[in-house]
Amino acid sequence: MTIASDAPTPTMDSEELRRARLARIQLVAKWTLPVIVMALTLLAWHLYVTINEVPHYILPSPAMVFQTMFTDWGLLSAAAWVTTKLSLYALALAVIGGVALAVLFTQSKWAEMSFFPYAVILQVTPVIAVAPLIQIYVDSAFAAALICAWIVAFFPILSNTTIGLKSADHNLRDLFTIYGATRWQRLIFLDIPSALPFFLGGLKIAGGLALIGAVVAEFVIGRSGTGLGLASTLLEASYRYNFARLYAALFLISGLGIMIFAATSLISHLSLRKWHESALNRES
Amino acid sequence: MQAPLPLGSRPPVLRMSAVDKVFGADIVALKGMQLDVNQGDFISLLGPSGCGKSTALRLIAGLMTPTTGRIEWSGGTGQGDLGVVFQEPTLMPWTTVAKNVALPFRLRGKSGAEVADAIRNALDLVGLSGFENAYPRELSGGMKMRVSIARALVTNPRLILMDEPFAALDEITRFKLNNDLLDLKTKTGCTVIFVTHSVFESVFLSDRIVVMAARPGRVIRTLEVDEPYPRAEAFRTTPEYAAHCRAASDALHDAMGIAA
């Protein structure tokens, strides 16, 4: 039954070698595969348009979109800057409002009972239905759009942070009581650090939602020639059958979304990497 | 750092007299609890689940108040410094070992060279010098528990409460920590109330075992383990140890029998 072998014990058996090789390949593939997919898609798009001679007011070729990005850069970059500001301000205000309200809710049960239902109502009412009203009452189109984007972005921050602030280990809570911690100390040294992973999860969602809120608001509010950001530009381009500009604006919106996601993910990783399970590199 | 005083001549720390704790309208968690704690005592509360041993600990910690009866601290100044070790290490994962141990000082707004010395000293006592800047996740279960113990004794408290601190650890680690806890007691002369459901642990560690029964939670017997400290690992194999274990085990069986 025994298998005799004269070979010295290898430092790594074949299974381990295979696993290591696979890990290396995966690392490279993780970056190269999406790039290849992107290149192939653009190529297929280009060939489809040129071979079938699709008119540019139906589908512009990627080269044309790229060219428009340059020729219209003045207009597009200005619009992109507006949308970026809109999204980031909305996100910042969502963080301030969401965290402040979450702290209020966890410090006072009465406040939570009184106001939480209204936070939910604000969240479940589609912002697109509220936007026209906001447009009537708020003079500045930018401010009106900002309010819309804020409404959409703030709820995940509020909801996640509220749960997070209540999630501290109950034994640690007891320990803080035994050591006579003040309410303030409990908040700063226990509840806020415990809430951090939850807050950062909410931040990632809110980052995406801030952009969606901004785009929706621009569609509704920017329509009347207020010349807001990328979404207004996109809508206007569609009216003019300027599809190259439409695609260019669309790509910029996508790019903005990716950047916001990357930034919030980076913030999350940097804040948690030293201690939280979600950010640890596990060696298998 | 006081030398252990002989039994009977130790100054009192705490007295529980006729303490009842009732949850809701009719769940009697603890009935007529009587306990005198003197300086340097190592008392084990031994009993089955539901016997009120953890309730007793929470009452002493001031986390709840007795329904009737009194808990009096000598000097009448309230509990003062108190150290607590839970079944879980209960560390703050977001900060370092040193800052976890510093928590009791931090919550009292104390800092400075004295505090730094106390932290160094406490970590030294539990054998974790050099781990000041490690994060809890980098430590093993036993090491985390040592950090928890260091935090409990860093203020040199009048009383340390331990609620089944080693129950979740493997036996080898548990024995090692039992030995180290006795070393610590010899070095610091600390006063400990130790909740456990292990007969062997209670005999090895304590000079008094309070055996409790459930429904309602109450004390049914108090056993003295009059073996001198320091107790070495070899104590575990002596006939005296076996006899004490037998006595504690019998008492525990009585407790379960009454409860059944």
Side-chain angles (χ1 to χ4, degrees):
Chain A
M1 284 297 284
T2 53
I3 300 163
S5 169
D6 294 335
T9 314
T11 47
M12 231 189 206
D13 64 23
S14 59
E15 195 181 2
E16 282 300 306
L17 281 171
R18 196 153 43 84
R19 189 174 293 160
R21 200 166 52 236
L22 193 67
R24 268 200 309 279
I25 293 170
Q26 273 177 350
L27 192 67
V28 178
K30 195 176 160 190
W31 296 101
T32 49
L33 283 183
V35 172
I36 292 170
V37 169
M38 167 78 87
L40 287 177
T41 310
L42 288 176
L43 184 67
W45 176 2
H46 184 76
L47 290 176
Y48 173 75
V49 170
T50 46
I51 290 169
N52 295 314
E53 296 179 343
V54 181
H56 66 79
Y57 51 83
I58 304 276
L59 181 67
S61 73
M64 193 176 167
V65 172
F66 197 61
Q67 200 190 347
T68 310
M69 196 82 90
F70 277 97
T71 52
D72 291 0
W73 182 245
L75 184 139
L76 286 169
S77 63
W81 179 233
V82 173
T83 304
T84 307
K85 273 199 300 190
L86 206 51
S87 309
L88 293 186
Y89 287 177
L91 185 58
L93 291 176
V95 167
I96 294 167
V99 170
L101 219 52
V103 169
L104 178 71
F105 283 0
T106 46
Q107 293 300 301
S108 159
K109 267 198 166 42
W110 305 115
E112 185 177 14
M113 283 185 209
S114 308
F115 296 115
F116 193 75
Y118 297 101
V120 173
I121 289 171
L122 203 60
Q123 161 70 11
V124 297
T125 309
V127 72
I128 199 157
V130 188
L133 280 178
I134 296 173
Q135 194 182 7
I136 293 169
Y137 299 125
V138 180
D139 284 339
S140 152
F142 185 83
L146 185 57
I147 291 171
C148 292
W150 174 80
I151 289 174
V152 179
F154 112 107
F155 192 77
I157 303 252
L158 169 68
S159 164
N160 274 29
T161 311
T162 305
I163 293 170
L165 287 170
K166 292 177 180 176
S167 73
D169 181 285
H170 67 276
N171 281 335
L172 269 175
R173 275 182 199 289
D174 285 348
L175 203 63
F176 271 63
T177 307
I178 288 164
Y179 289 132
T182 62
R183 212 180 163 112
W184 180 246
Q185 284 176 322
R186 196 181 284 273
L187 180 68
I188 299 293
F189 298 137
L190 179 60
D191 292 337
I192 288 181
S194 303
L196 191 63
F198 294 83
F199 162 77
L200 290 165
L203 183 70
K204 273 195 212 174
I205 301 168
L209 284 180
L211 178 61
I212 292 174
V215 165
V216 169
E218 284 182 24
F219 272 3
V220 179
I221 294 164
R223 187 177 287 164
S224 43
T226 43
L228 271 173
L230 282 172
S232 303
T233 307
L234 186 151
L235 204 62
E236 204 183 313
S238 86
Y239 293 150
R240 295 166 187 243
Y241 294 95
N242 188 347
F243 282 13
R245 187 186 285 171
L246 187 153
Y247 274 96
L250 184 59
F251 287 158
L252 286 175
I253 291 174
S254 253
L256 185 55
I258 291 165
M259 279 195 293
I260 292 174
F261 181 78
T264 51
S265 298
L266 184 70
I267 290 170
S268 176
H269 179 77
L270 291 180
S271 319
L272 300 181
R273 74 196 150 119
K274 284 217 167 127
W275 64 274
H276 199 254
E277 287 294 336
S278 68
L280 299 181
N281 281 322
R282 272 233 176 281
E283 282 152 30
S284 55
Chain B
M1 304 275 169
Q2 57 273 61
L5 294 162
L7 265 171
S9 65
R10 299 170 180 174
V13 173
L14 170 89
R15 164 170 287 178
M16 292 176 85
S17 18
V19 169
D20 288 2
K21 181 66 190 175
V22 183
F23 291 126
D26 55 358
I27 300 165
V28 183
L30 203 58
K31 184 144 187 63
M33 175 99 181
Q34 201 77 35
L35 187 67
D36 281 289
V37 183
N38 300 316
Q39 199 181 311
D41 281 356
F42 198 120
I43 300 170
S44 282
L45 304 184
L46 175 68
S49 302
C51 71
K53 50 196 196 301
S54 291
T55 304
L57 224 54
R58 292 180 68 81
L59 285 165
I60 294 169
L63 291 169
M64 36 168 101
T65 47
T67 309
T68 55
R70 276 184 312 188
I71 298 175
E72 291 161 302
W73 292 79
S74 68
T77 50
Q79 63 200 44
D81 281 343
L82 188 69
V84 184
V85 181
F86 299 97
Q87 184 171 343
E88 301 296 323
T90 315
L91 303 176
M92 299 178 288
W94 52 83
T95 192
T96 59
V97 164
K99 287 195 173 150
N100 266 289
V101 175
L103 181 72
F105 292 119
R106 195 172 190 185
L107 292 179
R108 281 166 203 166
K110 286 190 201 164
S111 60
E114 219 172 297
V115 166
D117 278 349
I119 293 163
R120 203 167 22 250
N121 192 24
L123 283 173
D124 194 39
L125 277 169
V126 298
L128 281 180
S129 296
F131 286 92
E132 285 83 356
N133 296 319
Y135 281 78
R137 68 169 176 91
E138 297 168 313
L139 307 179
S140 69
M143 288 161 91
K144 282 184 205 164
M145 199 42 91
R146 287 167 188 276
V147 177
S148 195
I149 294 169
R151 179 180 58 194
L153 55 83
V154 73
T155 55
N156 201 9
R158 296 173 75 189
L159 179 61
I160 298 177
L161 306 176
M162 296 188 157
D163 192 358
E164 301 187 38
F166 308 141
L169 300 173
D170 64 87
E171 181 128 322
I172 295 170
T173 310
R174 187 176 191 165
F175 273 32
K176 174 81 177 106
L177 278 167
N178 281 170
N179 291 339
D180 292 355
L181 185 57
L182 278 192
D183 268 359
L184 220 115
K185 178 191 153 41
T186 314
K187 280 183 193 157
T188 65
C190 57
T191 311
V192 181
I193 300 181
F194 189 97
V195 166
T196 181
H197 48 230
S198 160
V199 166
F200 308 108
E201 197 170 54
S202 66
V203 170
F204 184 65
L205 293 175
S206 29
D207 50 17
R208 201 169 357 138
I209 302 172
V210 176
V211 184
M212 299 178 72
R215 271 162 301 216
R218 66 205 182 282
V219 176
I220 60 158
R221 205 170 304 168
T222 302
L223 305 165
E224 303 280 342
V225 184
D226 48 356
E227 303 294 331
Y229 295 100
R231 295 172 186 167
E233 178 71 38
F235 176 54
R236 287 187 196 278
T237 50
T238 60
E240 291 81 9
Y241 176 77
H244 286 299
C245 284
R246 178 68 183 270
S249 196
D250 286 348
L252 192 57
H253 278 142
D254 287 350
M256 313 266 275
I258 294 164

